[in-house]
Structures are given as C-alpha cells and as structure tokens.
Amino acid sequence: MIDRRTGLTGLLLAVVSAAAFGTSGVFATALLDAGWSAGSAVTVRMAVASLALAVPALLQLRGRWSLLRANAGAVLAFGALAVALPQLAYFNAVSRLSVGVALLLEYSGVLLVVLWTWARLGQRPSRVTGAGVVVAVVGLVLVLDVLSGARIDPLGVMWGLVAAVGLASYFVLSAHSDDALPPLVSAWAGLAVGALVLAAAALVGVVPWRTTAADVELAGATTSWLVPVLGVALVAAAFAYATGIAAVRRLGSRLSSFVGLSEVLFAVAAAWLALGQQPNAVQLVGGVVVLVGIVLVRVGEERPPADAAGVDPVPADGPAGPAQPEEAR
C-alpha cells in the first residue's frame, strides 16, 4: 500500500512529468518542419538535457561516487532500454505507420507493466484495476483517433511493439529505489547513455542525421532554432525525466504508468494551444475516458488484490519493496 501523503506527492510529480513530456511534440514539430531529422532532434535533445543536469547531478554525488559505480549496470540498462530504445523504435514505427497507431502501440507498454508486476512480483491486479486498464486503453484509442486514416505495416507494428517494451522498461527500472541514485542523477546518467547510444546509431546509419541552423516557426512566431532545442531538452527531457523517476519511486511502476497516459492529453492540449490543432469531439470524449481509467487504476491500487484476502498487502513494487531491475528498460 502507498502512504497517502507519498501517494499524493507521487501523483503530482507524475502529472507534472506527463505535462512536461507532452510539450515535446510542439518543440519537435518546429525542428522537423525546419528540416531536422527525427533522430538528430532526439539525440540533441538528450545530449543537451544531460549537459544541463550534469552540474546539479555531480553536486548530489559529492562524496558518494561509490553509489554511481554500484549502479553502473542499472544506469546502462536505463539509458539504453528506457531512454534510447523507445525513441529509436518509435521513429522507425512512425515511418511506416500512422502516428496514432504508432503511439497506441508504444503506449501498450503500460499493459506490459501490469503483466510484469503480476508475473514477476506476484501482484495480481484487482478487478477495479483491471477495469481501469480496459477503460484507459479504450480512451487512448479514441484520443489518438487511430481509426481515422490508419496506416498498417507489419514491420512498423514490430517497431511499435519494441517501443512498448522500452516504455515499460522506463517504468519498471525507474521503480528501483533501494540504494539507487537520486532521481536527478538517474535522469542525467540515463540521458547521457541514451544520447551516446543514439549518436552511435546515427554514425552507423541506423538513425538518419540532418540538422539546420535556419530560423523555425514556433507557436505562430519565427524564432531561432535554439528555442525549440532548449525547450525539448530542458522541459521535455531533463525536467520531465527527473520528475518522472521521482514519481515512479513513490507510486510504483504500475500506477505511475497509467498516470503517464495523461501525457497524450497534455500533448493534444499543447498542439491545440501552440499549433492550432483543435481536437475533435471523439478525442475530447476519449480524454475523459482515459482520466476515468486512471482514476479506476488508482482506486484499484489502494485496495489489496482479491486473491490476497486475509494476507498482508503487498508493497507497491513487490514483496521485498521497490522493484529491482535485472541487469539486463
């Protein structure tokens, strides 16, 4: 069970993180429209974000360098699986699928989190949690409007499912808190590793690389390319990852993954306000349905599973405390 005060703090951090992640589309669109490739935009985003977090992260590590060495495997796993993999896979997916379908496949990662906590940690979801899962997924389908002009390709579907594994890894690995690095340090190290992985992928041609120093159009105004780069790096990466990791450690991987679905709602709202992309009635209804699903999951997580009657409730991330990542998200 989650302490109420800790849970409220975690929910606030999760929503703030989702809102920050939701701005990435607006900033990235400005760069892509100006001629940047998706791979270069994401790699620069991670590199600049890791540089921005470097000084405060290193200050937090003063006198505790052994903590970084002890978590070296977890850092490499987080950077490669939870940061670089989902972004690389998503961009490969969206090149073959409609955006809505690609996003839906990636966000199916929250279902993988439920299956992981059930199979690995023995946390069978309650009926209320199960109902919330179904409702949230239905709402996500409506928000993404995947039935309108959907484009399907088998290889694209495969990449979308790989992105889902990466997203699930983000929540599972972020839940590790026993002797773990502080959230800000974890974000810095993970982003640095992710940037190196994607830079290596660009060098071998897996990720197309194209940039330009031309001015860009952002929210209806012409501005320097540095503005969206700093926005997507500082707001949608450095701040978003640091607050997101802190949220997962308070809420556990399962609940935080469903709160993370609100990122889609914030992304739609940001596109509406900054780009004039007004959502249709179906998307608005879908947003309400997603929120209902998140509330149901939250309520379900506060109650012990039906098969645990008469047994002490299992903590948020397993019998022995927070989920421990395998040195292999």
Side-chain angles (χ1 to χ4, degrees):
M1 299 293 287
I2 303 173
D3 173 77
R4 182 170 295 275
R5 182 173 181 180
T6 300
L8 290 175
T9 303
L11 281 173
L12 177 61
L13 286 169
V15 171
V16 169
S17 175
F21 275 125
T23 65
S24 62
V26 171
F27 294 123
T29 296
L31 294 173
L32 298 179
D33 288 347
W36 287 56
S37 67
S40 61
V42 173
T43 305
V44 170
R45 167 194 184 188
M46 293 182 184
V48 173
S50 64
L51 289 175
L53 292 176
V55 172
L58 293 176
L59 288 176
Q60 284 196 354
L61 281 174
R62 282 187 305 178
R64 297 190 295 170
W65 297 106
S66 60
L67 195 59
L68 184 60
R69 290 194 297 271
N71 285 275
V75 166
L76 291 175
F78 184 80
L81 298 179
V83 178
L85 179 63
Q87 307 230 20
L88 180 60
Y90 172 74
F91 287 128
N92 278 285
V94 83
S95 68
R96 296 173 176 271
L97 304 171
S98 57
V99 173
V101 172
L103 280 173
L104 181 63
L105 287 170
E106 180 180 16
Y107 278 100
S108 68
V110 299
L111 303 179
L112 298 180
V113 174
V114 173
L115 294 176
W116 169 266
T117 56
W118 187 355
R120 174 73 174 176
L121 307 175
Q123 296 180 31
R124 181 178 179 179
S126 67
R127 292 179 180 178
V128 176
T129 297
V133 170
V134 174
V135 172
V137 171
V138 170
L140 189 60
V141 171
L142 296 176
V143 171
L144 295 176
D145 200 14
V146 298
L147 301 179
S148 176
R151 181 162 52 97
I152 304 295
D153 175 86
L155 187 57
V157 171
M158 183 202 74
W159 278 116
L161 294 176
V162 172
V165 172
L167 181 66
S169 298
Y170 166 73
F171 292 107
V172 171
L173 294 184
S174 295
H176 174 56
S177 61
D178 186 21
D179 295 325
L181 296 169
L184 188 146
V185 178
S186 292
W188 161 68
L191 285 165
V193 171
L196 290 174
V197 169
L198 286 184
L203 286 175
V204 299
V206 175
V207 175
W209 186 270
R210 187 174 62 256
T211 62
T212 176
D215 287 345
V216 302
E217 291 291 326
L218 179 63
T222 301
T223 186
S224 167
W225 61 274
L226 285 172
V227 175
V229 164
L230 292 177
V232 78
L234 302 183
V235 178
F239 179 75
Y241 274 105
T243 53
I245 294 171
V248 177
R249 292 183 183 175
R250 287 168 171 79
L251 298 178
S253 56
R254 189 159 64 191
L255 176 56
S256 58
S257 66
F258 279 90
V259 179
L261 290 178
S262 62
E263 176 189 338
V264 178
L265 309 185
F266 285 114
V268 171
W272 184 5
L273 294 174
L275 305 177
Q277 298 176 3
Q278 184 173 353
N280 57 41
V282 173
Q283 290 177 301
L284 293 176
V285 171
V288 174
V289 174
V290 168
L291 293 177
V292 171
I294 292 173
V295 170
L296 287 174
V297 172
R298 173 71 172 119
V299 172
E301 293 295 276
E302 289 185 333
R303 301 169 59 184
D307 61 350
V311 181
D312 289 338
V314 178
D317 273 290
Q324 305 298 311
E326 295 182 358
E327 297 302 323
R329 162 177 223 258

